[in-house]
Amino acid sequence: MKIILLGAPGAGKGTQAEVISTHYDIPQISTGNILKEAVRNETELGLKAKSFMDAGALVPDEVVIGIIKERLQKDDCAKGFILDGFPRTVPQAEALDKMGVTMDKVIDIEVSDSLIEGRMTGRRVCEKCSASYHIENNPSKKGELCDKCGGKLIVRKDDKPETVKERLKVYHELTEPLKAYYESKGILAEIPGEGTVEETSQLVFKALEA
Ligand code: AMP
């Protein structure tokens, strides 16, 4: 099972990727999480990516394509994987094709911009393991701490309102054209993502098992 999750920032890709990953026992590969860890660890990659990320811009294609190329070679990808936040531009999708990776399904989670702006302000992420929560829709059972690892939950720098607006603009300009790209390959499934986490998961599985 090789799956891509498409959708605007805040559409719920990370949350749904975690659910799918557990269900099919395949890894969730999130370029956003890999980049954030690199920023935290102040690696060469992190230093290169930080200014783009803080501004709500995309990290250059060649950087993220390099990350994915390396990650997909690991043994745990043999059974399949979920790409969460990659590809985000047409050149990234073309690079995936050139690597010889054939995707089975692309799930596009549709949420309106206004709802996204509201969701972002309530979003919290674990500073240790990057698990994602929402103070109302998907709270941690441990309050300010992560259910999974006990790490502290924080507001992402790029979830600030002005940065969210920029990220949505970038999404519409550069990422949305991927819908047509995968529709023409016959593997796109569009699902509404404005309900609860569970409702959206049901629609995701319905699309995956169709
Ligand atoms: P995310 O957690 O997926 O929203 O990613 C956080 C940030 O990492 C994004 O706002 C981008 O700056 C960067 N990023 C993640 N994935 C990609 C990608 N595929 N291409 C370019 N930049 C990315």
Side-chain angles (χ1 to χ4, degrees):
M1 202 61 142
K2 294 184 193 135
I3 304 162
I4 290 173
L5 286 183
L6 265 188
K13 298 187 297 294
T15 304
Q16 295 303 329
E18 283 174 30
V19 177
I20 302 169
S21 165
T22 307
H23 185 85
Y24 291 113
D25 193 23
I26 50 176
Q28 166 190 4
I29 301 174
S30 158
T31 40
N33 288 351
I34 294 170
L35 288 166
K36 275 170 255 168
E37 198 184 332
V39 170
R40 266 198 307 275
N41 295 335
E42 297 180 352
T43 63
E44 198 182 320
L45 169 66
L47 296 176
K48 221 188 273 179
K50 188 176 185 320
S51 57
F52 296 102
M53 293 168 76
D54 285 350
L58 292 184
V59 171
D61 284 337
E62 65 273 18
V63 176
V64 278
I65 290 167
I67 293 174
I68 286 292
K69 232 182 213 163
E70 207 182 301
R71 182 64 186 85
L72 293 185
Q73 278 165 12
K74 297 208 171 142
D75 291 346
D76 65 340
C77 292
K79 259 181 29 181
F81 48 82
I82 307 150
L83 298 180
D84 154 22
F86 183 95
R88 248 175 162 102
T89 64
V90 170
Q92 290 180 20
E94 288 169 348
L96 203 53
D97 290 344
K98 277 197 207 112
M99 286 175 221
V101 179
T102 312
M103 302 307 298
D104 296 304
K105 205 83 176 182
V106 178
I107 306 280
D108 170 45
I109 306 177
E110 286 284 324
V111 179
S112 70
D113 284 8
S114 57
L115 190 65
I116 282 177
E117 287 179 40
R119 278 184 180 181
M120 298 294 228
T121 54
R123 179 145 82 167
R124 299 291 179 272
V125 293
C126 173
E127 69 176 356
K128 248 164 93 187
C129 76
S130 297
S132 133
Y133 299 90
H134 189 281
I135 50 173
E136 282 161 17
N137 309 335
N138 180 28
S140 165
K141 293 183 197 79
K142 294 186 188 152
E144 300 284 292
L145 300 178
C146 177
D147 272 348
K148 298 185 179 70
C149 77
K152 199 174 145 207
L153 301 186
I154 54 165
V155 177
R156 280 168 48 163
K157 240 190 204 153
D158 56 355
D159 280 348
K160 282 191 233 143
E162 62 280 14
T163 319
V164 169
K165 279 210 173 357
E166 177 59 23
R167 293 171 71 202
L168 284 170
K169 188 170 152 250
V170 168
Y171 167 74
H172 290 300
E173 271 175 32
L174 298 175
T175 308
E176 221 168 8
L178 289 176
K179 286 197 236 169
Y181 186 89
Y182 287 113
E183 176 135 56
S184 72
K185 290 183 186 281
I187 55 171
L188 181 77
E190 283 183 276
I191 63 153
E194 300 202 346
T196 63
V197 170
E198 292 73 23
E199 281 163 354
T200 306
S201 294
Q202 278 187 5
L203 295 170
V204 167
F205 285 120
K206 212 168 131 195
L208 287 175
E209 276 147 29

